[in-house]
Amino acid sequence: MKIVLASGSPRRRELLSLITENFAVCPADADESLRDGAPLADEVVRLSRLKAEAAMQSHQDAVCIGSDTMVTIDRLPLGKPKDEQDAAEMLRRLRGRTHEVLTGLAVLSPDGGAQTLCTRTEVTFRDFSEEELAEYLATGEPLDKAGAYGIQGHGALLIEGICGDYYSVMGLPVAPLGVMLRKLNAVR
């Protein structure tokens, strides 16, 4: 069965390749605006499904996978920073605190079936110095990541611990996705 990942993220491609090498990539063109007042966990699932549906439009014979990851603190979403200053403000807000990473997953099958879920992972940042913050910003890594950090990159130096699914923080809940794809007989 053909599998399509509705994402251009190299991290998601890398993670899906842990399950199967047989997939195509079709970055989704979906409106990622959040609805006012909607629960953030519902929003990551909704956005994941929108991405999978966008891929399904051009790949109707495939299993289409959509995923969306959101960093939240104080019940507020932290998206990708606009610039280095915005990234610094986000990281200062996370410093020395525990925040939540929500990752939505949607798997749509050619027969019209849909499986969705949301994972929640707590990430605790250590109380890093302003010098360490400047060094991390200088890597450029924070600029294209939700919450302004990448757990799998230099951002790991800021993290004291996690409670939950590491791969979900990277952007794709690997184990649950593997189960979903096996149920569809899309992978062995």
Side-chain angles (χ1 to χ4, degrees):
M1 187 175 292
K2 185 176 173 186
I3 298 172
V4 173
L5 176 63
S7 174
S9 163
R11 291 166 300 283
R12 288 191 177 112
R13 284 194 302 264
E14 175 188 345
L15 294 176
L16 182 53
S17 71
L18 295 173
I19 300 169
T20 181
E21 293 289 335
N22 299 317
F23 64 91
V25 173
C26 177
D29 184 20
D31 178 5
E32 296 190 43
S33 302
L34 299 177
R35 297 176 298 182
D36 287 339
L40 296 176
D42 293 349
E43 287 296 278
V44 294
V45 171
R46 182 182 67 81
L47 294 174
S48 298
R49 186 166 181 144
L50 284 176
K51 293 174 183 180
E53 287 171 348
M56 183 67 78
Q57 289 179 7
S58 56
H59 300 279
Q60 295 176 359
D61 62 335
V63 171
C64 293
I65 302 165
S67 187
D68 190 74
T69 300
M70 182 184 303
V71 173
T72 70
I73 192 160
D74 302 326
R75 297 185 189 168
L76 298 172
L78 298 181
K80 292 181 182 178
K82 292 174 258 172
D83 53 30
E84 190 172 294
Q85 181 178 341
D86 191 30
E89 289 172 18
M90 286 184 192
L91 292 166
R92 285 185 186 106
R93 186 172 199 167
L94 298 173
R95 177 171 50 197
R97 299 182 63 196
T98 299
H99 62 276
E100 190 172 58
V101 178
L102 303 172
T103 297
L105 178 65
V107 178
L108 306 182
S109 56
D111 64 3
Q115 300 175 69
T116 61
L117 65 79
C118 176
T119 63
R120 296 171 185 266
T121 304
E122 290 184 347
V123 179
T124 302
F125 270 28
R126 61 186 187 77
D127 191 14
F128 51 86
S129 69
E130 282 294 307
E131 181 180 329
E132 290 172 299
L133 173 61
E135 289 170 1
Y136 183 50
L137 291 169
T139 68
E141 185 178 275
L143 297 179
D144 74 336
K145 309 274 190 294
Y149 74 94
I151 194 170
Q152 74 285 354
H154 298 285
L157 298 170
L158 307 178
I159 296 170
E160 188 173 284
I162 72 167
C163 182
D165 183 3
Y166 172 83
Y167 295 112
S168 289
V169 179
M170 278 183 68
L172 195 68
V174 174
L177 176 57
V179 170
M180 289 176 171
L181 293 174
R182 280 185 188 84
K183 283 182 182 177
L184 293 171
N185 293 317
V187 298
R188 292 183 201 179

